[in-house]
Amino acid sequence: MSNPLLDFSSLPRFSLVEPGHVGPAVDQLIAAGRATIERLAARDARPTWDSFVEPLDDANEKLARAWTQVSHLNAVVNTPELRDAYNAALPKVTGFFTEQGQDQRLYAGFKALAAAPGFDAWPAARRRFVELQLRDFRLGGAELPPPQKARFLEIQAELARLGARFQDNVLDATNAFGLVIENEAELSGIPADVKQAAREAAARDGRDGWKLTLQMPCYLPVMQYADHHGLRERMYHAYLTRASELGADPKWDNTGVIRQILQLREEEAKLLGYRSFAEVSLATKMAGNPREALDFLEDLARRSKPFAERDMQDLVAFARDGLNLAQLRACDVAYVSEKLRQARYDFSDQQVKQYFPEEEALAGMFRLVATLYGLTIRAAHADTWHPTVRFYEISDASGALMGQFYMDLYARESKRGGAWMDEVVSRRRLGTRVQTPVAFLTCNFSAPVGGKPAIFTHNEVNTLFHEFGHGLHQLLTQVDVLGVSGTHGVEWDAVELPSQFMENFCWEWDVVEPMTRHVDTGERIPRALFERMVAAKNFQSGMGFVRQLEFALFDMHLHYDFEPANGDMMALLGRVRSEVAVIFPPEYNRFPQQFSHIFAGGYAAGYYSYKWAEVLSSDAYGAFEEAGVLDPATGARFRREVLAAGGSRPALESFVAFRGRKPQLDALLRHNGMTVAVDG
């Protein structure tokens, strides 16, 4: 039987991929890659783009495309067999790319390209790619002596293994929890559709009653609406002790995994001649050094904390006077916040949710893209990994295919939590043909229940727009050089610009009104309700703002001035909270053991990127506010200067090309309702 992971003639054949395909495909592609490298190294002629870069890209892209399929399937339809196959192949893939990053022959080839006569006249994207490659060789240990190179290889393999284990532990600990409630009175306040899903979950297990889980579509509504304090506390405790020494099973405890990861990152930094891993991380970002990033975060904290403190004072007063809660505990915050919002603005998330059925939300998002960028999005057919996965094509005004994407929106037990975009295929020129980019868009929303369509909260609509912004960055690139097309080569602290930018449109009446239809009555959302939503847009924005700063400061200090061998991680988090937080969780809170962004994702010493990029995205959206939020001319300029440019030039240059000046902070503060001057 042919191996579907080795077929690159068209779109992946996900339904045919079996765990047994993984090892043989990886071995064959790595062997082919090594043969290509030996062939290139044996050439006597001076390297050129066609003779050196293109063959290397060919080999690397095939392995990357096959491995992307495997890692994606491991994330969205996880099984023990697939997980074993993934974990067995992971060290091989990591080792191949790490070894390549240290290969002196390849390093010499790229240095020869950069020194070749006429290099300055090369197309900008090619020059940028070569410059980034030279940087990455240095960061990959290419200049280390042989013993240190060998140790660097070991560190990368072990970090990859530990990152995968961290993610597996979080997934397994999440899925292991199931609380069956037999007395319906305990579910007072919980929305009907959430209860229906819980009833169906219990029935699938052969149980009577309602099964509550730690999956987001269940956990969040329980914390937000459940009147039963004991139930909220029980769910909160289970959620915040996942994958820790306080969790249900010690085999999922990530505490030791974190310490190992931090120690290995510190060792990697020292090998490369840096004082901390934060400096390694920032070598590829817009922020120049850790102190610059910390100054940025601390400045935002000074500006935002007074607003967060005001939010918290309001919440405590309402809990006391409105709900007779003498003490506001962390497990009460979501519940009391929802009650306060309903009292203050006369609507609930659950009320709004009825106006956003899936089909209308998607159609509205696609209409926005058509208006801004002159593009058409149509449903198409492709082989997928689950029956609920959708597939779409994007075409320009002439009908030419621009890109394709898969959309997997619903939470499942076999699927890791969160929302993300990832590439399937990247744009690249192959002779006379341009390779069409393809992307994954993945969320964890509630699936349809009770015979009704899936309905989204407004926050979930924001998430959908956010991930689609990432997708447009990948799909609308006009760069033909693989290493800097789409999101490739974009500084990590700028990669959130297109995604956060898209969220702004979720607060525009002309965008939102046509994308709503009440799931029962079919009516559009009333203008009065929408205006109350807008009035509440910055409800508790100060609290939300400092929460993100808490995560970002914890991450940066963890990788900058923390001693991983002997330091107390929870004490560090406590110190950060004492400086910026207004919510102080109980002693048992083990948030770091679930912080996948920095321990199993790409955000180590980079979580500050969300706020850094929000400065860019808010200021970029200001151009639309000035010209008209649905102005096609401004949309065309944003598409050309930001989305199409990809990583072919520094992100700051792309921003300035669009905005006509460097970014300014005031739009971020204004969009978050923090426009009152605060001293200090």
Side-chain angles (χ1 to χ4, degrees):
M1 179 180 176
S2 62
N3 191 326
L5 292 173
L6 297 173
D7 180 4
F8 304 102
S9 61
S10 59
L11 293 166
R13 296 181 289 162
F14 289 108
S15 67
L16 301 181
V17 176
E18 298 176 359
H21 292 132
V22 175
V26 166
D27 289 343
Q28 182 172 329
L29 292 169
I30 288 177
R34 289 195 169 121
T36 297
I37 291 170
E38 293 304 317
R39 220 168 31 248
L40 294 176
R43 290 179 182 270
D44 293 327
R46 291 180 177 178
T48 66
W49 185 270
D50 291 340
S51 70
F52 182 75
V53 177
E54 289 291 353
L56 190 59
D57 273 356
D58 287 341
N60 286 338
E61 187 192 28
K62 286 186 173 64
L63 176 59
R65 283 174 61 174
W67 188 243
T68 291
Q69 294 175 49
V70 175
S71 56
H72 182 73
L73 291 173
N74 188 55
V76 296
V77 282
N78 189 281
T79 64
E81 297 77 16
L82 181 58
R83 182 185 293 186
D84 288 345
Y86 172 85
N87 287 329
L90 179 61
K92 300 177 183 179
V93 176
T94 304
F96 173 73
F97 285 117
T98 306
E99 289 167 15
Q100 191 177 141
Q102 296 184 348
D103 194 309
Q104 288 294 326
R105 301 165 301 175
L106 297 179
Y107 189 23
F110 277 101
K111 285 193 283 190
L113 288 175
F119 178 74
D120 290 342
W122 278 24
R126 290 189 177 188
R127 291 200 314 274
R128 173 76 169 163
F129 172 70
V130 172
E131 291 162 359
L132 293 179
Q133 285 294 108
L134 292 174
R135 178 201 69 188
D136 291 344
F137 272 106
R138 291 190 291 270
L139 292 174
E143 297 178 343
L144 295 176
Q148 283 91 332
K149 277 187 177 180
R151 179 56 186 155
F152 191 93
L153 284 171
E154 293 172 357
I155 289 172
Q156 299 313 304
E158 185 65 4
L159 283 172
R161 184 189 70 81
L162 290 168
R165 183 178 166 195
F166 186 98
Q167 195 75 272
D168 289 343
N169 286 344
V170 174
L171 178 64
D172 291 345
T174 301
N175 288 339
F177 178 87
L179 176 61
V180 176
I181 302 297
E182 297 180 350
N183 180 3
E184 189 173 4
E186 292 184 44
L187 304 178
S188 170
I190 297 176
D193 61 322
V194 178
K195 287 173 60 177
Q196 178 65 31
R199 170 74 89 176
E200 293 176 7
R204 285 194 296 272
D205 288 350
R207 300 284 300 272
D208 292 329
W210 297 263
K211 180 183 178 182
L212 303 180
T213 73
L214 301 181
Q215 304 273 350
M216 280 298 100
C218 178
Y219 176 75
L220 284 181
V222 169
M223 297 307 298
Q224 197 171 7
Y225 294 104
D227 295 323
H228 195 291
H229 172 81
L231 177 60
R232 297 198 307 272
E233 187 172 35
R234 189 170 177 183
M235 293 287 286
Y236 180 86
H237 183 277
Y239 189 81
L240 269 302
T241 57
R242 289 176 305 153
S244 77
E245 80 280 12
L246 303 177
D249 194 317
K251 69 184 178 185
W252 299 319
D253 181 9
N254 271 332
T255 307
V257 177
I258 291 173
R259 192 170 296 278
Q260 291 178 71
I261 288 173
L262 293 175
Q263 288 177 318
L264 288 168
R265 286 174 177 169
E266 182 182 52
E267 185 180 354
E268 173 190 338
K270 298 291 172 50
L271 282 174
L272 294 174
Y274 291 93
R275 287 173 295 178
S276 69
F277 183 79
E279 293 180 353
V280 178
S281 174
L282 292 176
T284 62
K285 296 177 173 64
M286 293 177 71
N289 55 66
R291 190 65 256 171
E292 182 180 349
L294 286 169
D295 287 346
F296 167 74
L297 295 171
E298 290 164 1
D299 177 50
L300 288 181
R302 283 191 295 270
R303 295 170 183 266
S304 60
K305 190 171 182 181
F307 294 93
E309 290 171 335
R310 183 188 64 191
D311 290 343
M312 195 62 185
Q313 290 165 4
D314 288 349
L315 197 63
V316 170
F318 179 79
R320 181 188 63 241
D321 302 334
L323 300 177
N324 201 29
L325 280 176
Q327 180 185 6
L328 180 67
R329 295 189 283 188
C331 63
D332 300 321
V333 168
Y335 177 78
V336 177
S337 294
E338 179 60 25
K339 294 293 186 185
L340 174 56
R341 177 167 51 184
Q342 291 180 30
R344 184 174 291 177
Y345 300 103
D346 192 28
F347 76 90
S348 70
D349 274 353
Q350 188 62 21
Q351 178 186 359
V352 172
K353 182 179 180 180
Q354 309 307 310
Y355 287 98
F356 288 102
E358 178 179 356
E359 296 297 336
E360 298 294 326
L362 292 179
M365 186 170 70
F366 296 162
R367 272 194 304 273
L368 173 65
V369 170
T371 301
L372 291 181
Y373 307 129
L375 303 171
T376 301
I377 301 177
R378 295 187 181 89
H381 176 73
D383 184 40
T384 66
W385 54 92
H386 193 272
T388 61
V389 175
R390 298 164 173 254
F391 184 73
Y392 296 91
E393 295 182 341
I394 304 181
S395 302
D396 67 12
S398 71
L401 182 64
M402 299 292 294
Q404 300 167 304
F405 61 96
Y406 301 84
M407 189 174 282
D408 185 354
L409 297 181
Y410 309 142
R412 298 184 294 273
E413 284 195 0
S414 60
K415 183 179 177 183
R416 72 174 170 89
W420 67 92
M421 187 283 298
D422 203 355
E423 66 177 85
V424 187
V425 180
S426 289
R427 180 181 168 113
R428 162 183 195 203
R429 181 166 293 280
L430 298 166
T432 59
R433 181 175 69 86
V434 174
Q435 184 169 274
T436 301
V438 187
F440 298 120
L441 300 177
T442 310
C443 298
N444 272 277
F445 301 155
S446 298
V449 293
K452 290 186 175 183
I455 51 177
F456 301 153
T457 66
H458 189 254
N459 187 55
E460 287 172 334
V461 174
N462 271 272
T463 299
L464 182 64
F465 274 58
H466 178 104
E467 298 307 331
F468 197 52
H470 281 309
L472 293 174
H473 203 184
Q474 172 70 11
L475 300 173
L476 299 187
T477 185
Q478 292 296 289
V479 179
D480 293 340
V481 176
L482 179 63
V484 289
S485 73
T487 58
H488 290 194
V490 178
E491 298 96 320
W492 201 255
D493 42 8
V495 80
E496 296 292 336
L497 190 169
S499 54
Q500 293 175 333
F501 163 80
M502 278 289 287
E503 293 182 44
N504 291 285
F505 292 100
C506 297
W507 298 98
E508 300 291 349
W509 173 251
D510 290 340
V511 175
V512 171
E513 193 265 350
M515 67 185 291
T516 59
R517 178 180 55 79
H518 194 281
V519 69
D520 293 323
T521 68
E523 296 175 350
R524 300 291 189 192
I525 192 167
R527 183 66 182 261
L529 174 56
F530 178 76
E531 288 176 350
R532 293 199 298 276
M533 291 166 58
V534 172
K537 175 178 181 287
N538 291 318
F539 174 65
Q540 295 185 343
S541 64
M543 288 170 57
F545 206 96
V546 298
R547 182 173 179 267
Q548 287 297 301
L549 294 177
E550 173 189 321
F551 298 163
L553 285 163
F554 171 67
D555 165 48
M556 187 57 68
H557 282 297
L558 201 62
H559 292 99
Y560 178 49
D561 51 15
F562 178 74
E563 291 290 338
N566 303 307
D568 186 333
M569 180 177 63
M570 297 307 298
L572 169 63
L573 181 55
R575 288 195 297 274
V576 170
R577 283 178 175 150
S578 69
E579 294 169 6
V580 301
V582 294
I583 298 174
F584 297 92
E587 189 74 20
Y588 62 73
N589 183 299
R590 291 295 184 269
F591 160 74
Q593 280 82 337
Q594 306 150 29
F595 199 179
S596 295
H597 274 78
I598 68 169
F599 295 120
Y603 285 87
Y607 198 84
Y608 79 94
S609 300
Y610 281 103
K611 284 304 175 194
W612 187 281
E614 196 176 347
V615 173
L616 305 177
S617 64
S618 294
D619 201 0
Y621 191 71
F624 286 80
E625 293 175 315
E626 293 161 11
V629 293
L630 296 179
D631 178 46
T634 308
R637 194 169 76 252
F638 185 79
R639 175 184 168 187
R640 180 179 68 251
E641 302 295 354
V642 177
L643 301 177
S648 64
R649 61 187 177 191
L652 182 59
E653 290 184 17
S654 292
F655 180 91
V656 172
F658 168 68
R659 197 68 169 102
R661 55 165 174 75
K662 291 185 177 181
Q664 298 174 356
L665 188 63
D666 55 345
L668 169 65
L669 300 174
R670 175 168 52 82
H671 288 162
N672 282 274
M674 295 187 291
T675 54
V676 178
V678 178
D679 294 333

